[in-house]
Every structure is written in structure tokens, then in C-alpha cells.
Amino acid sequence: MTKRNWLIVTAAALLVSVAAHGFMLSEWLHGRYLIGANDGMSQMVPFKHFLYESMRDGNYFYSERFGFGGGIFSQLGYYFSTSVVFLLTAAVTVCLEWAGAVDPSLQYWADATVFVSIIRLTVIQLLAVVFFRQLGLRTRYAYAGAVLYSVSVLYFRHVTYWEFFADAMLFLPLLLIGAERIMRSGKPAVFVVAVMLSMADNFYFAYVNFLLTFIYIVFRWFIPIAGRDVSKLRQMIQFIVGGIAGAALSAPFFVPAVYGYLNNYRPPFEGEIPLFRMHDNFLTDGRVVVLPAIAVVALLLFPLYKNRLFRLFALLTTMLAVLHESPAAGSLFNGLSAPQYRWEHMLMLVAGGTAACTLQYWKTLRVKDIAVAAAGAIGLYAIFTIVDRGGGGSLYSDSLIVLLFVICALALLAAVRQFKHWDGALYLAVLAAALVTVILYQETKLALDNTDVGQVQGQGVPKSFLTSDGYNAAAPREMIQRLSADDPDELARFDWMIGLRNNTPIVQDFLGMSMYSSLLNKNLLHFYWDDLSIDMGRESVSRYAGLGGRANLYSLLNGVYAVRGEHGNPVPYGFREVAEQDDYRAYESSNRLPFVRTAGRVYTEAELADSPALAREHAMLDGIILENASGDTERAPEVTDLIRQADVKPVNAEYVGDTLVVTGENGGLDLHVKDRSLLKEDMYVSMYLKRTEADQGFAMTVNDYRTTRKRIDSIYRTRVYDLSIRIPSDETIRIRMPQGTYTLRDLALYAEDYETLKRAGQRSAAVPPPDVEWKGGRASIRLDNVDADPYAVMPIPYEKGWRAKVNGERIAIEKANYAFTGIRIGPGVNTIELTYYPPYFGISLLLAVITAGLLLVFRLLTRKKGTPRN
């Protein structure tokens, strides 16, 4: 293709990209964002802002602000930390900020979404043009196929909800270009680069795109379209060697990200995965993909199947369209987990190829062929509409049907060939139909999801939402800023989040104790779910939040402040009000413990395996709990179960055996403690609770404490049914839930007088306070071990990648208190240095450098060998 043609195609791609974003741009001009009010605003925008600030400040690998602390390079590798698009955007942003042109605030990253998306979509079109051109399609038809691939509802669904998903559409055509170069000419360089970029950018979508590329290669082997392909043996060798080389080059990015995935925990999917089930009407009401009308007509043009290129694309389109309705296929592409539909960009690519081939070979078709195909397409649309909604319609679905009739009419007129420009009209109609489809989709599908932020249906998230009480409330933010500035402990943590937005600490820039991310440190998740049975106020995977109001844990994890709104759960024991603003109050702990404590008593996880959560709290306050320990260890602390000293009475319910049937609108159990002398400061109520019906989730209250549980068939439930709820002491403990049938067993009741916490405070007050500095991946501690205790324990999450030196000597880090960091120390003054680098980063970097060197040497040798002698 000539330079002039490239300029025309690039200009057209940019123009079409801008037009496709017409609704998003209109919303932006009106002060609104087409960004998902949930994941978009809770993860995408905050993570980009957070990563940019962290990297700008020199914290590339770790941040103490990521929940309780975490490896951001690995745990956010699934999102943006290794994303090529984000890193390029960040590089441009640095330059613009240095020039004083932008202020990279949270709003900046929301504003930038639409403009980054326009550029990304333009590049996707250009890569798809190269791919189609390589297969023999002429430029104008290759461009039509590229538009149908890129200007798709799938792309805008990704950009709106999970922006980094859209990057996968960049690398798929690049991988296929590389595969074609190997198959046609035995040149692996582009394939190596494509593999490297795919794996470095996102390990998850690399897996998806590699599967799709493999499917394409297999089809290409059975349907050869080139004049003479390289032998399959040579292809296989180059695919394997090129894949290994690309993987090695990506290792510094890929390996830490995969470690972040492996170090995460999500309960295995237990639901049924049928082979087929219609979940998406991809003809007349698609929410994930919409097959272009021209592609549906093309699939019924049977004479074109004689053309190998058309046959390749048409068969792939048909197969992938069928697989789109297969939960089993969705599970396969999601790593054999819960079915997800994130691979369909390949369906759109081959559908675009099918349409492009049809337009290129249009003049070989007869009117009869086109009439039959048009009638068949109309019949398919009618069937899908009736099956999906019983014949009902909407603006979106009715418009897709109208577009089909327009395409069919123009196709017939072009076939008659009474007017030479009908072909051009059909071509333009195909492009226009793609634009109309995505604009309608944005307005009638995507914008609907933003009504939960108080917006009018069909509009985006207003800019004012970024500073609203539902997202970034000013009163608690200002209180936290004042308290943080006045507190001498720079590592004091605040228990505060807005509603269900666990990433509030990132949005409001404070050290918090909540996080929402697909990849989290599994030790922390088990700490919450299993080891300490901490209720978060809401059951959900990929999250943790607060400490259930349990004062012992606040003191252990440097949780100094708790902020509550008007309807918040009870304040932890020993917290006193220190600030008030509007409807918000801040409370400070009167039982503060130092960030680093020495421990003389050693408990083991095995010894505490059968102990209740309260006993484990006492063990952590008394000493240190280790996964494995040598030498003498302590027996588990004893706490008394008071359930036998309480009357258990059903209220609006029947309780027989382990089955609780709530018959009233709200009911449950009353636990009445018969001896008031048994009441202490707080009560811990423990139970196994599971709703037997799968129809809905439910809210449960224990006196003034409220929590919610997922429906039992939700893929986002934790599958943890053992609960421990802390409440201020009361003679009567009222457990309430809505009408339904529940399994409720292992009911236990414990009283907490906080004597163990007070003793821990007295011990800490008797020794010099430690000097602690922790910023990102480096921590420096000066600790005077007056009592010659063998261990130091600190609330830095245990994670592979941390290295420790004590008085200049390398020391192994141990997992302490189930999820945190313990180190052996000596008597007297100890200087502790902690340093974090992503797991296997050094060896991965070395592997990448060696591979790059070998490839360079190979390139120089082959170039020298190919130089003719004089």
C-alpha cells in the first residue's frame, strides 16, 4: 500500500473512531462520563490515578496505600501496571504535567478515557487493515472489515466497564499478522514481538488471544489461502521457538503478574456449566456482541464458499457464533472457571473478514443468490426476536432490524446493477450501520447502568459524582486529612469507606483498610474469611473491608481511627470521638499499640486450629502466631463459650435441629444471657449460617450490627458460612433475617473484657517506642528489644518479594499472625531493613536481556549470511 493510501486510511480511521465515540463525546461535553458507575468508577479510574501517582513518586512495585499494603506491579498487573496503553498514556501525562498543561487528578483520568479510547480504536483499525491486506483483500474492503471488527458493541462495552479489556483487541490482529508471516514466508519477527507485547500487557488476555490464534492457525492449515505456504514442520518450529522467545522477552512483566494471579484466592466455581444456553441475542438485541447484518447475509451466500478466503472467514464466523452461546466455551476461555464472554473480539474480526470478502467479490454474485440470502437473514432475525422476547422490541433491537432491511435492500439494488454507484452506497451503508449500532448501544444499553448514581436514564455519570457524598464525600475526607496531619504516626490507618466502594482510601488518598481488586494477597483473604472470621458488612469476593468493629484487631493492625456516617455499624470498644463534621464522626483508639512489637510467646497455627476467633486474637496480642515454629510453643488461649448460659428463643420463626425457618417478614433468634455477671465489654456471636433457597441474598442484623450475604448461586459469594459478629454487650442478642429457610448451627457466644489488650498496651508502654519509616517497597525500623524477645512482628502483609536484613545480616521473613510479617531479632537495639521487589523480577529481567542479546546476534548473523559477496 502506498504512503498516500496509508494517509487516507489513517485519516479515515481517525474520523470513524471519532464518529463512533459520538455519544461518549457528547456526554463528556455535557459534563458526563460514559464510564461504569460501579467497576469503572470503583476500579478503572482510581487504579489509573493511583498507579500514576505511585510511579511518579518512584514506587513502581509496592505501595503501603494498596489496602493494608501490596505489590502493585504484580497485583495490578491484571489491570494497568503493565498495560502498554496505560504506560504510554502515563508517559504523555508526565510530559503534559511537566509543561503545566494538565493536573493529573482523578477527574483527569476520567476525562482522558474517551480520548485514549479514540486513539486506541484508530490503531485497532489500522492493525486490522494490515491483517486483511496481508490475506489479499484490497484496501477499501480491508478497511470495511477493520471497521466491523473495531467499531463493535464489544469494544464499547469493554471501554465503559473494564477499560483494559479493550487492549486485547489491539494484540489479536498483531498476533495473526505474525502468524501469517510465519505461514507464508517463514519470518517470525512480528510474531515474537506480538507474543512479547501480549504477555507483557496482560497475562489473562494473552491466554485468550493465544487460544484464538491457535484456532485460526488450525483453520488456516485446513484451508490454505496463500499460493504456497511454508511447510507445516517449519511453521511449528518457528511458532514454538518464536513463542518461547517472546515469552522470555516479556518475563519481567509477565512473571510478576502471573505470581499475583497465583497468590490470589477465589473460591472455585461450583455451578452447572451447560454446553449450550442462549444468553445473548447477537442478531437483534446483543449486549456483548452484535453480528453485522451484512455478515449474516454473507453467510447465506453459498456461491462464495468456493472462494477459500471467504470459506475460512465464514466457517470461523459460524463456529464462533455458535460458541458464543456456549457457557462451556466461556468457561474454557476463562481458564475453566465461571463462564465469561471476553473472547468474542475474534468473532467480530472474522465476521468483518466475511463481510469484506463479500464486498470484494460482490460482482460475482447473481440477484437470485442475494435475494435468497436476504430472505434467509430476515427469517433468522425473526426467529431470534421471537425466541428472545416473544416478538417484543425496543429502540435498540428495532433499529437493528431496520438496519438489516436497509442492508438487504441496498444489496438487491447493487445486485441489479442498474446504477453503477449502488455498490458504493452499500459499502457506505455497511460502515454507517456499524456506527449507528454502537451509538445506539452506548445510549440505550451502557448509559442505563448509570441510573444508580441519580442520573437520568440514558445519560452518563455526571462529573459532579466525583465529588459527591456517594463517591468522594468532602466531610470525612477533610476530617481524615486533619487527623492524619496532626497524628505523629504517619502509618496510622483509618477505617472508612463510602457505601460499597472499598477503594475509597485510594480515591480520598489516605491509609485505609479496605480494597477491591480481582487480585489480592490470598493470605489477607484467608485472614478475613477463615483465620479470624472477620465480617466485612458485605459478603463478596475480591474485597476486604474494615475489621468488623473488633478492637483487638484494630490495635494489632495499626487501625487508629474509625469514621462513621449517620447509619454506620457500632464503633469499636475503646474508641473516643475526636472530630465531627456534618453527619460524620471520627473516633480514635485509646488502645494503640506500636507498629512493630516484640514477641516472646510463640503459638502455632496448628495449635490454634480448633480455637475460636477470639482466642486467636488473644494469641496475637500475647505473642506471635507462626505457620511453623521450632522449639517450645504455647498452648492456645482459652475462652469460655457462654451459649449454655443463654436461653435461645425463636422469634417469628421455628428452630428445630439445625434448621431455622423464619415465618414472619423478619425473624430469627433471641439469645438471652441469664447471668448478667457474665457480660463484659463486648460479645462475640459465632454461627454457621446458610440460606437454603437460592432465590435471593439477604441482610442479617445482630442487635445494631448489619451485614449482607449473597444468594447461594452467586459467583461472587465467598462460600464462607462461619460468621463471627462483635457487638457491645447486651442481655439479649437479637439475630434477625428475612423470611426463608436457613441452616443455622454451631451457635457460640463469647464475652470479651479486653484484659489481654490492656496487658499488651502496658507491655508496649514499658519499652522504648520503635522508629519506623515505611514508604512503598522500603521499610526502615530501629527497635530496642529490651526484653530480648526472639521475634518482631509488624502489620506489613506477608508477601513473596520482601527481603529483610537485621543489623546488616540477611534474615528470612516468616508469615506471622496468619497474614503478616515476622522476623527473628536479637537482644538490644536492632536495625531492620525491608526491601521489596516483584517475585522473580531479577531472574526474569536477566532472562529477557539474554534473550534480546541472542536475538540480536542471530539477526546480525543472518543478515551477514544473506549479504552477497563481491
Side-chain angles (χ1 to χ4, degrees), residues 629-658:
S630 58
D632 295 334
T633 59
E634 304 289 332
R635 296 184 61 181
E638 293 185 4
V639 292
T640 303
D641 183 1
L642 304 178
I643 196 64
R644 294 184 181 276
Q645 281 73 49
D647 290 328
V648 180
K649 178 184 178 183
V651 177
N652 292 331
E654 297 177 0
Y655 187 38
V656 179
D658 294 334

mmCIF file of all heavy atoms in Angstrom, residues 629-658:
data_model
loop_
_atom_site.group_PDB
_atom_site.id
_atom_site.type_symbol
_atom_site.label_atom_id
_atom_site.label_comp_id
_atom_site.label_asym_id
_atom_site.label_seq_id
_atom_site.Cartn_x
_atom_site.Cartn_y
_atom_site.Cartn_z
ATOM 1 N N ALA A 629 6.884 -23.500 63.620
ATOM 2 C CA ALA A 629 7.781 -22.984 64.662
ATOM 3 C C ALA A 629 8.592 -24.121 65.249
ATOM 4 O O ALA A 629 8.095 -25.237 65.421
ATOM 5 C CB ALA A 629 6.988 -22.290 65.764
ATOM 6 N N SER A 630 9.846 -23.831 65.533
ATOM 7 C CA SER A 630 10.710 -24.802 66.204
ATOM 8 C C SER A 630 10.871 -24.387 67.664
ATOM 9 O O SER A 630 10.730 -23.216 68.008
ATOM 10 C CB SER A 630 12.083 -24.860 65.520
ATOM 11 O OG SER A 630 12.683 -23.580 65.519
ATOM 12 N N GLY A 631 11.168 -25.339 68.507
ATOM 13 C CA GLY A 631 11.343 -25.030 69.913
ATOM 14 C C GLY A 631 10.020 -25.057 70.670
ATOM 15 O O GLY A 631 8.996 -25.551 70.195
ATOM 16 N N ASP A 632 10.058 -24.494 71.865
ATOM 17 C CA ASP A 632 8.875 -24.509 72.726
ATOM 18 C C ASP A 632 7.817 -23.542 72.210
ATOM 19 O O ASP A 632 8.121 -22.414 71.810
ATOM 20 C CB ASP A 632 9.259 -24.117 74.156
ATOM 21 C CG ASP A 632 10.191 -25.139 74.792
ATOM 22 O OD1 ASP A 632 10.128 -26.318 74.367
ATOM 23 O OD2 ASP A 632 10.957 -24.753 75.689
ATOM 24 N N THR A 633 6.569 -23.994 72.235
ATOM 25 C CA THR A 633 5.453 -23.146 71.823
ATOM 26 C C THR A 633 4.382 -23.165 72.904
ATOM 27 O O THR A 633 4.353 -24.048 73.766
ATOM 28 C CB THR A 633 4.842 -23.637 70.491
ATOM 29 O OG1 THR A 633 4.397 -24.990 70.650
ATOM 30 C CG2 THR A 633 5.856 -23.558 69.362
ATOM 31 N N GLU A 634 3.496 -22.176 72.835
ATOM 32 C CA GLU A 634 2.459 -22.005 73.848
ATOM 33 C C GLU A 634 1.192 -22.774 73.464
ATOM 34 O O GLU A 634 0.925 -23.022 72.292
ATOM 35 C CB GLU A 634 2.115 -20.517 73.996
ATOM 36 C CG GLU A 634 3.293 -19.630 74.326
ATOM 37 C CD GLU A 634 3.797 -19.840 75.733
ATOM 38 O OE1 GLU A 634 2.982 -20.225 76.602
ATOM 39 O OE2 GLU A 634 5.002 -19.636 75.970
ATOM 40 N N ARG A 635 0.430 -23.109 74.477
ATOM 41 C CA ARG A 635 -0.882 -23.706 74.240
ATOM 42 C C ARG A 635 -1.873 -22.603 73.891
ATOM 43 O O ARG A 635 -1.709 -21.444 74.275
ATOM 44 C CB ARG A 635 -1.358 -24.467 75.469
ATOM 45 C CG ARG A 635 -0.485 -25.663 75.830
ATOM 46 C CD ARG A 635 -1.069 -26.427 76.989
ATOM 47 N NE ARG A 635 -2.396 -26.954 76.640
ATOM 48 C CZ ARG A 635 -3.163 -27.652 77.492
ATOM 49 N NH1 ARG A 635 -2.721 -27.881 78.743
ATOM 50 N NH2 ARG A 635 -4.335 -28.105 77.117
ATOM 51 N N ALA A 636 -2.914 -22.958 73.195
ATOM 52 C CA ALA A 636 -3.908 -21.975 72.753
ATOM 53 C C ALA A 636 -4.580 -21.322 73.958
ATOM 54 O O ALA A 636 -4.907 -22.010 74.944
ATOM 55 C CB ALA A 636 -4.954 -22.661 71.883
ATOM 56 N N PRO A 637 -4.778 -20.010 73.913
ATOM 57 C CA PRO A 637 -5.516 -19.338 74.998
ATOM 58 C C PRO A 637 -6.936 -19.895 75.091
ATOM 59 O O PRO A 637 -7.526 -20.314 74.088
ATOM 60 C CB PRO A 637 -5.540 -17.866 74.556
ATOM 61 C CG PRO A 637 -4.424 -17.735 73.569
ATOM 62 C CD PRO A 637 -4.319 -19.054 72.882
ATOM 63 N N GLU A 638 -7.481 -19.893 76.291
ATOM 64 C CA GLU A 638 -8.825 -20.419 76.496
ATOM 65 C C GLU A 638 -9.823 -19.273 76.597
ATOM 66 O O GLU A 638 -9.563 -18.253 77.239
ATOM 67 C CB GLU A 638 -8.884 -21.262 77.768
ATOM 68 C CG GLU A 638 -8.071 -22.556 77.670
ATOM 69 C CD GLU A 638 -8.239 -23.429 78.904
ATOM 70 O OE1 GLU A 638 -9.047 -23.039 79.780
ATOM 71 O OE2 GLU A 638 -7.582 -24.477 78.991
ATOM 72 N N VAL A 639 -10.942 -19.433 75.915
ATOM 73 C CA VAL A 639 -12.076 -18.512 76.072
ATOM 74 C C VAL A 639 -13.313 -19.374 76.296
ATOM 75 O O VAL A 639 -13.417 -20.485 75.780
ATOM 76 C CB VAL A 639 -12.261 -17.615 74.833
ATOM 77 C CG1 VAL A 639 -11.113 -16.634 74.690
ATOM 78 C CG2 VAL A 639 -12.414 -18.449 73.560
ATOM 79 N N THR A 640 -14.246 -18.872 77.073
ATOM 80 C CA THR A 640 -15.404 -19.664 77.500
ATOM 81 C C THR A 640 -16.608 -19.402 76.605
ATOM 82 O O THR A 640 -16.988 -18.247 76.388
ATOM 83 C CB THR A 640 -15.773 -19.328 78.954
ATOM 84 O OG1 THR A 640 -14.630 -19.574 79.783
ATOM 85 C CG2 THR A 640 -16.938 -20.185 79.424
ATOM 86 N N ASP A 641 -17.193 -20.493 76.105
ATOM 87 C CA ASP A 641 -18.423 -20.396 75.314
ATOM 88 C C ASP A 641 -19.602 -20.287 76.276
ATOM 89 O O ASP A 641 -19.838 -21.188 77.100
ATOM 90 C CB ASP A 641 -18.559 -21.621 74.412
ATOM 91 C CG ASP A 641 -19.782 -21.555 73.501
ATOM 92 O OD1 ASP A 641 -20.513 -20.548 73.555
ATOM 93 O OD2 ASP A 641 -19.996 -22.512 72.728
ATOM 94 N N LEU A 642 -20.362 -19.192 76.195
ATOM 95 C CA LEU A 642 -21.457 -18.920 77.123
ATOM 96 C C LEU A 642 -22.816 -19.358 76.601
ATOM 97 O O LEU A 642 -23.838 -19.033 77.206
ATOM 98 C CB LEU A 642 -21.505 -17.416 77.437
ATOM 99 C CG LEU A 642 -20.239 -16.787 77.993
ATOM 100 C CD1 LEU A 642 -20.443 -15.292 78.198
ATOM 101 C CD2 LEU A 642 -19.821 -17.460 79.291
ATOM 102 N N ILE A 643 -22.833 -20.074 75.496
ATOM 103 C CA ILE A 643 -24.123 -20.383 74.891
ATOM 104 C C ILE A 643 -24.997 -21.226 75.817
ATOM 105 O O ILE A 643 -26.238 -21.131 75.791
ATOM 106 C CB ILE A 643 -23.930 -21.083 73.518
ATOM 107 C CG1 ILE A 643 -25.241 -21.043 72.724
ATOM 108 C CG2 ILE A 643 -23.429 -22.509 73.698
ATOM 109 C CD1 ILE A 643 -25.715 -19.674 72.343
ATOM 110 N N ARG A 644 -24.372 -22.042 76.699
ATOM 111 C CA ARG A 644 -25.158 -22.852 77.626
ATOM 112 C C ARG A 644 -25.750 -22.005 78.744
ATOM 113 O O ARG A 644 -26.652 -22.445 79.452
ATOM 114 C CB ARG A 644 -24.298 -23.972 78.216
ATOM 115 C CG ARG A 644 -23.842 -25.005 77.185
ATOM 116 C CD ARG A 644 -23.074 -26.143 77.838
ATOM 117 N NE ARG A 644 -22.612 -27.108 76.864
ATOM 118 C CZ ARG A 644 -23.343 -28.105 76.376
ATOM 119 N NH1 ARG A 644 -24.592 -28.260 76.802
ATOM 120 N NH2 ARG A 644 -22.845 -28.942 75.489
ATOM 121 N N GLN A 645 -25.228 -20.821 78.940
ATOM 122 C CA GLN A 645 -25.774 -19.906 79.948
ATOM 123 C C GLN A 645 -26.757 -18.909 79.338
ATOM 124 O O GLN A 645 -27.062 -17.871 79.935
ATOM 125 C CB GLN A 645 -24.647 -19.131 80.634
ATOM 126 C CG GLN A 645 -23.917 -19.914 81.701
ATOM 127 C CD GLN A 645 -23.016 -20.988 81.118
ATOM 128 O OE1 GLN A 645 -22.237 -20.701 80.216
ATOM 129 N NE2 GLN A 645 -23.135 -22.212 81.625
ATOM 130 N N ALA A 646 -27.233 -19.216 78.125
ATOM 131 C CA ALA A 646 -28.172 -18.317 77.449
ATOM 132 C C ALA A 646 -29.400 -19.094 77.006
ATOM 133 O O ALA A 646 -29.316 -20.265 76.616
ATOM 134 C CB ALA A 646 -27.497 -17.669 76.237
ATOM 135 N N ASP A 647 -30.554 -18.468 77.112
ATOM 136 C CA ASP A 647 -31.792 -19.033 76.577
ATOM 137 C C ASP A 647 -31.887 -18.686 75.093
ATOM 138 O O ASP A 647 -31.713 -17.521 74.716
ATOM 139 C CB ASP A 647 -33.010 -18.460 77.300
ATOM 140 C CG ASP A 647 -33.098 -18.955 78.740
ATOM 141 O OD1 ASP A 647 -32.670 -20.101 78.984
ATOM 142 O OD2 ASP A 647 -33.578 -18.188 79.596
ATOM 143 N N VAL A 648 -32.163 -19.690 74.268
ATOM 144 C CA VAL A 648 -32.291 -19.494 72.821
ATOM 145 C C VAL A 648 -33.766 -19.573 72.468
ATOM 146 O O VAL A 648 -34.405 -20.619 72.653
ATOM 147 C CB VAL A 648 -31.484 -20.553 72.032
ATOM 148 C CG1 VAL A 648 -31.642 -20.327 70.532
ATOM 149 C CG2 VAL A 648 -30.020 -20.526 72.442
ATOM 150 N N LYS A 649 -34.322 -18.472 71.981
ATOM 151 C CA LYS A 649 -35.753 -18.394 71.725
ATOM 152 C C LYS A 649 -36.016 -17.954 70.293
ATOM 153 O O LYS A 649 -35.558 -16.888 69.874
ATOM 154 C CB LYS A 649 -36.402 -17.400 72.700
ATOM 155 C CG LYS A 649 -37.900 -17.208 72.466
ATOM 156 C CD LYS A 649 -38.438 -16.154 73.399
ATOM 157 C CE LYS A 649 -39.933 -15.913 73.125
ATOM 158 N NZ LYS A 649 -40.469 -14.828 73.991
ATOM 159 N N PRO A 650 -36.755 -18.763 69.504
ATOM 160 C CA PRO A 650 -37.132 -18.323 68.151
ATOM 161 C C PRO A 650 -38.125 -17.166 68.215
ATOM 162 O O PRO A 650 -38.995 -17.121 69.103
ATOM 163 C CB PRO A 650 -37.776 -19.564 67.523
ATOM 164 C CG PRO A 650 -37.384 -20.710 68.406
ATOM 165 C CD PRO A 650 -37.202 -20.142 69.780
ATOM 166 N N VAL A 651 -37.967 -16.231 67.275
ATOM 167 C CA VAL A 651 -38.877 -15.084 67.176
ATOM 168 C C VAL A 651 -39.384 -15.026 65.737
ATOM 169 O O VAL A 651 -38.595 -14.898 64.800
ATOM 170 C CB VAL A 651 -38.158 -13.765 67.542
ATOM 171 C CG1 VAL A 651 -39.110 -12.587 67.370
ATOM 172 C CG2 VAL A 651 -37.610 -13.823 68.959
ATOM 173 N N ASN A 652 -40.702 -15.149 65.585
ATOM 174 C CA ASN A 652 -41.293 -15.232 64.230
ATOM 175 C C ASN A 652 -40.591 -16.322 63.423
ATOM 176 O O ASN A 652 -40.298 -16.141 62.237
ATOM 177 C CB ASN A 652 -41.192 -13.897 63.479
ATOM 178 C CG ASN A 652 -42.065 -12.824 64.109
ATOM 179 O OD1 ASN A 652 -43.106 -13.118 64.713
ATOM 180 N ND2 ASN A 652 -41.633 -11.576 63.978
ATOM 181 N N ALA A 653 -40.304 -17.422 64.079
ATOM 182 C CA ALA A 653 -39.528 -18.475 63.421
ATOM 183 C C ALA A 653 -39.717 -19.793 64.151
ATOM 184 O O ALA A 653 -40.196 -19.835 65.297
ATOM 185 C CB ALA A 653 -38.050 -18.101 63.388
ATOM 186 N N GLU A 654 -39.318 -20.873 63.471
ATOM 187 C CA GLU A 654 -39.248 -22.202 64.056
ATOM 188 C C GLU A 654 -37.811 -22.685 63.947
ATOM 189 O O GLU A 654 -37.206 -22.589 62.880
ATOM 190 C CB GLU A 654 -40.188 -23.161 63.320
ATOM 191 C CG GLU A 654 -41.652 -22.792 63.427
ATOM 192 C CD GLU A 654 -42.539 -23.735 62.626
ATOM 193 O OE1 GLU A 654 -41.979 -24.672 62.000
ATOM 194 O OE2 GLU A 654 -43.764 -23.539 62.622
ATOM 195 N N TYR A 655 -37.282 -23.193 65.058
ATOM 196 C CA TYR A 655 -35.886 -23.628 65.091
ATOM 197 C C TYR A 655 -35.842 -25.051 65.627
ATOM 198 O O TYR A 655 -36.029 -25.295 66.813
ATOM 199 C CB TYR A 655 -35.067 -22.687 65.968
ATOM 200 C CG TYR A 655 -33.568 -22.935 65.944
ATOM 201 C CD1 TYR A 655 -32.919 -23.304 64.763
ATOM 202 C CD2 TYR A 655 -32.800 -22.789 67.098
ATOM 203 C CE1 TYR A 655 -31.557 -23.517 64.734
ATOM 204 C CE2 TYR A 655 -31.427 -22.992 67.083
ATOM 205 C CZ TYR A 655 -30.804 -23.363 65.893
ATOM 206 O OH TYR A 655 -29.443 -23.580 65.859
ATOM 207 N N VAL A 656 -35.619 -25.997 64.699
ATOM 208 C CA VAL A 656 -35.564 -27.404 65.058
ATOM 209 C C VAL A 656 -34.275 -27.987 64.506
ATOM 210 O O VAL A 656 -34.016 -27.901 63.288
ATOM 211 C CB VAL A 656 -36.775 -28.179 64.506
ATOM 212 C CG1 VAL A 656 -36.673 -29.660 64.875
ATOM 213 C CG2 VAL A 656 -38.078 -27.576 65.000
ATOM 214 N N GLY A 657 -33.475 -28.595 65.399
ATOM 215 C CA GLY A 657 -32.197 -29.136 64.955
ATOM 216 C C GLY A 657 -31.300 -28.016 64.449
ATOM 217 O O GLY A 657 -31.023 -27.054 65.176
ATOM 218 N N ASP A 658 -30.865 -28.128 63.197
ATOM 219 C CA ASP A 658 -30.014 -27.085 62.603
ATOM 220 C C ASP A 658 -30.783 -26.243 61.595
ATOM 221 O O ASP A 658 -30.176 -25.475 60.840
ATOM 222 C CB ASP A 658 -28.812 -27.732 61.876
ATOM 223 C CG ASP A 658 -27.882 -28.438 62.843
ATOM 224 O OD1 ASP A 658 -27.856 -28.050 64.021
ATOM 225 O OD2 ASP A 658 -27.188 -29.383 62.404
#
